[in-house]
Amino acid sequence: MEQILEAIQAGASSDDIANLPIPESYRASFVKRDEAAMFEGVDSWDKDPRASLHVDQVATPELAPDEVYIAVMASSINFNTVWTSIFEPLPTFGFLDRMARDGEYGARHSRDEHIVGSDASGVVLKVGAAVRNWKPGDEVTVHCNYVDDQDPSAHDDSMLAANQKIWGFETNFGALADLSVVKANQLMPKPTHLTWEEAAVNGLCSATSYRMLVSDNGARMKQGDSVLIWGATGGIGGYAVQYVLNGGGRPIGVVSSPERAELLNKMGCEAVIDRKAAGYQFWSDEYTQDESEWRRFGKDIRAVNGGEDVDIVFEHPGRSTMGASIFAVKRGGTVVTCAATSGYMVEFDNRHFWMKLKKLLSSHFANYAESWAANKLLDQGRIQPLLTDVYDLDHVGDAALAVHHNEAEGKLGVLCLAPAEGLGVSDPEKRERIGEDKITMFRGV
Ligand code: NAP
């Protein structure tokens, strides 16, 4: 991998990069099949990714004709890596074993180690025989929607494909590594004004928020819509705030500290609710929700939203908030959800839902076109990366723990092959035009 890094840093030509040998093994972070029961009986909160995420050499898989090898310069932590590393709700080896049913290339994924990670910036090293639009040396970012395009259900909206998977979560050979194997239809051009680590953190979260709010497949936010955003300085929430502002809407951000509230104001989100200061108790015990707390929450929203209920709720905490979200959205409004961090068995009062003709919409990552559109907005400097901090690959467990324990704002980047921060900007003038202060707003918060 050293030879590869040297060539990339020296700006080697496409032909030179194409001629570099692909190493037989590479450094990667992974969980092990024989450790999948290691946290049995441990509370979710106390399951420590530092114990389950290993960083070591792994064997390089063969390349399928529609795939490319990329040198991963940087990656990022997503919540799915937390789920994999604490083996919740299920160990991910079942996904990998099921891939073995998809023939020779699928079978490569079923290993005793699962290499994790669903975001990357990097350089194409070698392309499979069927790849047309990309060549060695191309600087890319990668989206994580993995589909078999020979299945008819993958055409129209590929997120509806029967075989749709998330790369590095439901497939092997993920991004938290020096090398990765991805399908050519996961590649997108790297935004030229961003460093490797800034370019690596957006793919999964930004495109998820784009589909939830902007796309025809999502809530179809309009100019002037007000959108309540849970976890508004978190990974998907921080991009959601930007999409709402960018689309002429009004974000109402919910966070859990004065520092996060301040950060939201800095982003241009004036309406903020500090859920911790407000002390909402939506659940009075394990089985009972308290409607008076929903009402108090609704009143607090109206107080910062010109006296009105919100048009859209951007929902992902799940069990702890879904009842309140359904209650608080306006008559005819939409709750769009993509997750259930606090629990997936959600409960809401159906009377408030049907009598007020509300809508509940499910969403999951994004198709190639949506990911491409989100990447383009980043490239144009209309959406900014939410990078707060950077770890090296050997400390990937610390980074995953910080996300698991809700200690991180925005996104945590991970340097893989990139030897230092700050590298990879190929258009410094564009960076200056967009503004260092905007691009780095989340750094060090
Ligand atoms: P994150 O960076 O950790 O941010 C989540 C934020 O949600 C936290 O910062 C926290 O903000 C808030 N939060 C957490 N628990 C909460 C609770 N019980 N009540 C209210 N707010 C709560 O995570 P993320 O990357 O944004 O991901 C959020 C969820 O979406 C995860 O479950 C992830 O797996 C999922 N996700 C799904 C998709 C998909 O395609 N389906 C894509 C990306 C992410 P405050 O403490 O400041 O309120």
Side-chain angles (χ1 to χ4, degrees):
M1 291 306 303
E2 262 168 45
Q3 205 186 345
I4 289 172
L5 177 60
E6 266 172 34
I8 291 170
Q9 286 189 297
S13 70
S14 179
D15 285 347
D16 287 347
I17 289 188
N19 287 327
L20 290 170
I22 299 294
E24 283 176 10
S25 70
Y26 62 99
R27 190 177 59 136
S29 68
F30 53 86
V31 294
K32 293 181 178 176
R33 189 187 292 268
D34 63 5
E35 291 183 350
M38 72 191 292
F39 294 132
E40 246 172 42
V42 178
D43 258 14
S44 222
W45 185 261
D46 296 323
K47 295 178 181 174
D48 189 339
R50 291 173 303 182
S52 54
L53 279 175
H54 303 271
V55 178
D56 211 336
Q57 292 290 309
V58 296
T60 306
E62 220 187 303
L63 195 66
D66 61 345
E67 291 179 340
V68 308
Y69 286 122
I70 56 165
V72 182
M73 302 305 281
S75 180
S76 87
I77 303 294
N78 284 296
F79 222 93
N80 64 8
T81 289
V82 175
W83 297 127
T84 305
S85 65
I86 63 174
F87 305 105
E88 281 194 21
L90 289 167
T92 42
F93 290 96
F95 300 136
L96 307 186
D97 294 344
R98 279 195 285 283
M99 288 192 79
R101 296 180 199 150
D102 294 341
E104 179 191 339
Y105 292 112
R108 294 170 304 168
H109 292 258
S110 176
R111 286 195 183 179
D112 289 337
E113 71 268 356
H114 185 182
I115 302 157
V116 293
S118 303
D119 263 331
S121 65
V123 177
V124 175
L125 295 177
K126 212 172 255 332
V127 303
V131 174
R132 294 179 307 281
N133 299 334
W134 304 91
K135 60 180 187 321
D138 284 348
E139 298 190 349
V140 293
T141 55
V142 182
H143 75 78
C144 61
N145 180 22
Y146 181 100
V147 285
D148 175 357
D149 58 11
Q150 290 176 25
D151 186 319
S153 67
H155 295 266
D156 194 1
D157 176 13
S158 61
M159 286 306 297
L160 297 182
N163 51 23
Q164 188 280 329
K165 298 177 175 64
I166 297 294
W167 164 59
F169 177 60
E170 293 161 295
T171 78
N172 215 328
F173 318 128
L176 286 159
D178 290 339
L179 189 126
S180 187
V181 176
V182 301
K183 284 185 182 278
N185 64 16
Q186 291 177 254
L187 297 175
M188 308 182 293
K190 172 187 167 290
T192 49
H193 62 294
L194 299 180
T195 63
W196 293 117
E197 61 278 9
E198 287 164 353
V201 299
N202 313 295
L204 189 150
C205 282
S206 176
T208 298
S209 302
Y210 179 92
R211 181 177 173 110
M212 288 174 78
L213 292 175
V214 184
S215 163
D216 282 352
N217 293 311
R220 298 175 177 219
M221 190 202 80
K222 300 188 304 298
Q223 293 184 35
D225 276 355
S226 53
V227 184
L228 183 95
I229 299 167
W230 289 104
T233 60
I236 52 175
Y239 290 101
V241 168
Q242 296 190 67
Y243 282 116
V244 174
L245 289 170
N246 204 34
R250 178 210 280 256
I252 291 105
V254 185
V255 285
S256 63
S257 72
E259 293 75 26
R260 289 181 176 184
E262 203 179 308
L263 182 59
L264 276 179
N265 292 152
K266 218 168 112 189
M267 290 174 81
C269 175
E270 287 160 14
V272 177
I273 293 175
D274 182 337
R275 67 179 171 104
K276 212 165 197 176
Y280 301 119
Q281 295 289 335
F282 299 137
W283 288 85
S284 41
D285 61 46
E286 206 184 323
Y287 308 102
T288 324
Q289 297 202 63
D290 182 348
E291 190 175 319
S292 68
E293 283 295 272
W294 295 348
R295 286 189 190 283
R296 183 162 74 90
F297 180 53
K299 204 167 148 206
D300 290 349
I301 293 171
R302 287 193 290 279
V304 293
N305 191 36
E308 294 183 358
D309 294 328
V310 287
D311 299 283
I312 298 168
V313 176
F314 183 89
E315 165 67 42
H316 51 93
R319 184 168 175 81
S320 60
T321 55
M322 183 61 91
S325 294
I326 293 278
F327 180 81
V329 76
K330 79 168 192 190
R331 182 181 279 266
T334 301
V335 174
V336 57
T337 179
C338 74
T341 315
S342 65
Y344 49 81
M345 294 301 279
V346 297
E347 192 178 280
F348 58 84
D349 186 333
N350 204 20
R351 293 166 301 174
H352 293 297
F353 185 61
W354 96 71
M355 290 295 287
K356 294 187 177 155
L357 301 109
K358 302 181 181 192
K359 296 184 265 301
L360 178 58
L361 187 68
S362 60
S363 193
H364 185 40
F365 186 55
N367 61 34
Y368 197 5
E370 290 161 341
S371 298
W372 192 279
N375 190 61
K376 192 165 158 190
L377 288 165
L378 270 149
D379 188 54
Q380 293 170 340
R382 291 171 197 269
I383 297 292
Q384 309 303 337
L386 297 181
L387 180 71
T388 48
D389 207 354
V390 180
Y391 290 70
D392 55 55
L393 186 59
D394 289 330
H395 291 94
V396 66
D398 296 300
L401 183 66
V403 173
H404 179 28
H405 283 177
N406 191 14
E407 286 161 1
E409 270 70 53
K411 296 289 306 171
L412 299 182
V414 178
L415 293 182
C416 297
L417 206 53
E421 292 179 40
L423 305 172
V425 176
S426 55
D427 191 343
E429 285 83 30
K430 182 171 146 198
R431 188 175 177 94
E432 207 175 309
R433 223 168 39 242
I434 292 167
E436 194 70 28
D437 53 335
K438 281 192 189 160
I439 298 167
T440 59
M441 185 177 288
F442 268 55
R443 278 317 298 262
V445 296

